[in-house]
Amino acid sequence: MDLDGRVVAEQLKASFSAEVEALAASGRRPRLVAFQVGQNPATEAYVRGQRRGAEAWRIDYEMRTLPAGATEADVRAALADANEDPSVTGVLLQLPLPAPLPGRALQHAIAPGKDVEGVHPENLGGVVHGRDGLAPCTALAVMALIDASGVTVPGAEAVVVGHSEIVGKPVALMLLARDATTHVCHKFTRDLAAHTRGADVLVVAVGRPNLVTADMVKPGAVVVDVGINAVPVPGEPGRTRIVGDVDTAGLLARGCRVTPVPGGVGPVTVAMLMRNTVLAARRRAPPPEETAPSLFLGLE
Ligand code: NAD
């Protein structure tokens, strides 16, 4: 598979390893604190990935689990604690939260400079401005995989299927920032195939297996499959496997370059979470004793 996410994730880690060690040497090893409320089987794989990723990147990682019955005030207090703790450089809140907790609103209570998932309105605003800072990890991962394909992005016809706040919209903005002619499709798009067939670069982020089939793509297109779907394994009742949103085999047979699921966007998303954590640690102001200008500087 030529768009192997594990390879891209490994390259990203290598490009940051010297910086992580330099930060650690100056007493500022990046430290990520993740919060979850209760346990959620649906997010277990992502949490496992976070822990493994942090270990591989030599980033300190701590999961703080609040009881399933935690109130909004409890979650806000826990986040405020981490926001104020200077030893914590990155914070994330694992969604979904148990009802009736307002997941998105609570994510916005994370200090923008520590928001390593890049979902705070201030960081999303940075994406609108084309700033290269904290940004949604999956959108960054999609861009890294497109770049790994070697396709020329400026002027390319790019089609993004799905317009969620954390994947479709930021990906579309990032493609626009790179001068791709960008189209966005969603559940009200009348003729999806009419759009996807024109794509040199196709990003599919919906959550529906087999939404994009071989007859819907241009031969040779670069296709990034973001979807994660559990489907039954034929002949094995009760067992499921993970697939994406596109017919991978069919698209490969059309000469497309396709990211696999699993092993495509997923590992790069985790790597981007670590990249954001390093960025947040880099930007954090050094402790006051390092920054306070000496009153006697140059006066001796
Ligand atoms: P979402 O549910 O918030 O949004 C789904 C989008 O798909 C919407 O914009 C909707 O309009 C569109 N849509 C629905 N049906 C459609 C159809 N028939 N045709 C065209 N568009 C349609 O989803 P999300 O959070 O963006 O996630 C999308 C998928 O990506 C999910 O499967 C999710 O699990 C996966 N995901 C993967 C990663 C990763 O790291 N690999 C990260 C985030 C999300």
Side-chain angles (χ1 to χ4, degrees):
M1 182 69 64
D2 64 352
L3 288 180
D4 188 337
R6 295 190 175 102
V7 173
V8 175
E10 201 52 44
Q11 286 165 348
L12 203 66
K13 174 169 69 101
S15 69
F16 278 94
S17 69
E19 183 171 359
V20 172
E21 288 323 308
L23 283 164
S26 67
R28 293 189 289 151
R29 184 179 293 284
R31 178 160 173 244
L32 171 57
V33 173
F35 288 91
Q36 63 180 3
V37 180
Q39 308 271 356
N40 184 347
T43 57
E44 264 168 23
Y46 184 42
V47 170
R48 258 199 318 275
Q50 285 168 20
R51 190 177 295 282
R52 272 205 297 263
E55 229 170 75
W57 279 59
R58 298 173 50 78
I59 285 173
D60 289 340
Y61 177 83
E62 185 191 336
M63 169 59 86
R64 296 185 188 167
T65 305
L66 279 71
T71 63
E72 181 173 346
D74 295 335
V75 182
R76 283 190 186 278
L79 293 174
D81 220 42
N83 282 343
E84 281 153 27
D85 182 345
S87 76
V88 176
T89 55
V91 179
L92 72 82
L93 176 63
Q94 203 70 60
L95 297 192
L97 299 180
L101 292 176
R104 285 269 171 252
L106 283 167
Q107 270 186 328
H108 298 171
I110 295 170
K114 294 190 182 186
D115 163 41
V116 290
E117 288 200 303
V119 292
H120 189 283
E122 191 171 313
N123 291 321
L124 288 174
V127 177
V128 176
H129 288 278
R131 240 192 278 142
D132 183 23
L134 299 180
C137 304
T138 304
L140 289 170
V142 168
M143 295 308 293
L145 284 157
I146 291 171
D147 282 337
S149 78
V151 69
T152 303
V153 177
E157 291 291 324
V159 175
V160 181
V161 188
H163 67 342
S164 71
E165 230 171 71
I166 56 154
V167 188
K169 281 182 192 164
V171 166
L173 289 166
M174 289 174 185
L175 284 163
L176 283 171
R178 297 278 301 276
D179 298 321
T181 301
T182 306
H183 313 254
V184 182
C185 302
H186 45 75
K187 66 177 166 217
F188 293 108
T189 299
R190 283 198 294 263
D191 185 355
L192 184 61
H195 296 275
T196 56
R197 275 191 202 115
D200 304 308
V201 174
L202 176 62
V203 178
V204 189
V206 171
R208 269 188 60 173
N210 239 21
L211 179 68
V212 174
T213 48
D215 57 313
M216 294 169 69
V217 296
K218 187 195 268 193
V222 168
V223 182
V224 180
D225 188 356
V226 184
I228 302 177
N229 309 287
V231 296
V233 178
E236 296 187 40
R239 280 203 58 211
T240 57
R241 68 192 177 98
I242 299 298
V243 299
D245 288 348
V246 314
D247 167 18
T248 312
L251 267 59
L252 288 171
R254 292 271 282 174
C256 294
R257 306 182 63 191
V258 189
T259 61
V261 179
V265 175
V268 190
T269 295
V270 172
M272 286 301 180
L273 177 67
M274 301 306 146
R275 170 258 189 204
N276 280 352
T277 306
V278 177
L279 233 66
R282 180 200 294 171
R283 288 169 170 194
R284 192 172 67 89
E289 57 273 20
E290 283 175 39
T291 43
S294 162
L295 286 176
F296 306 107
L297 204 65
L299 296 178
E300 294 95 318

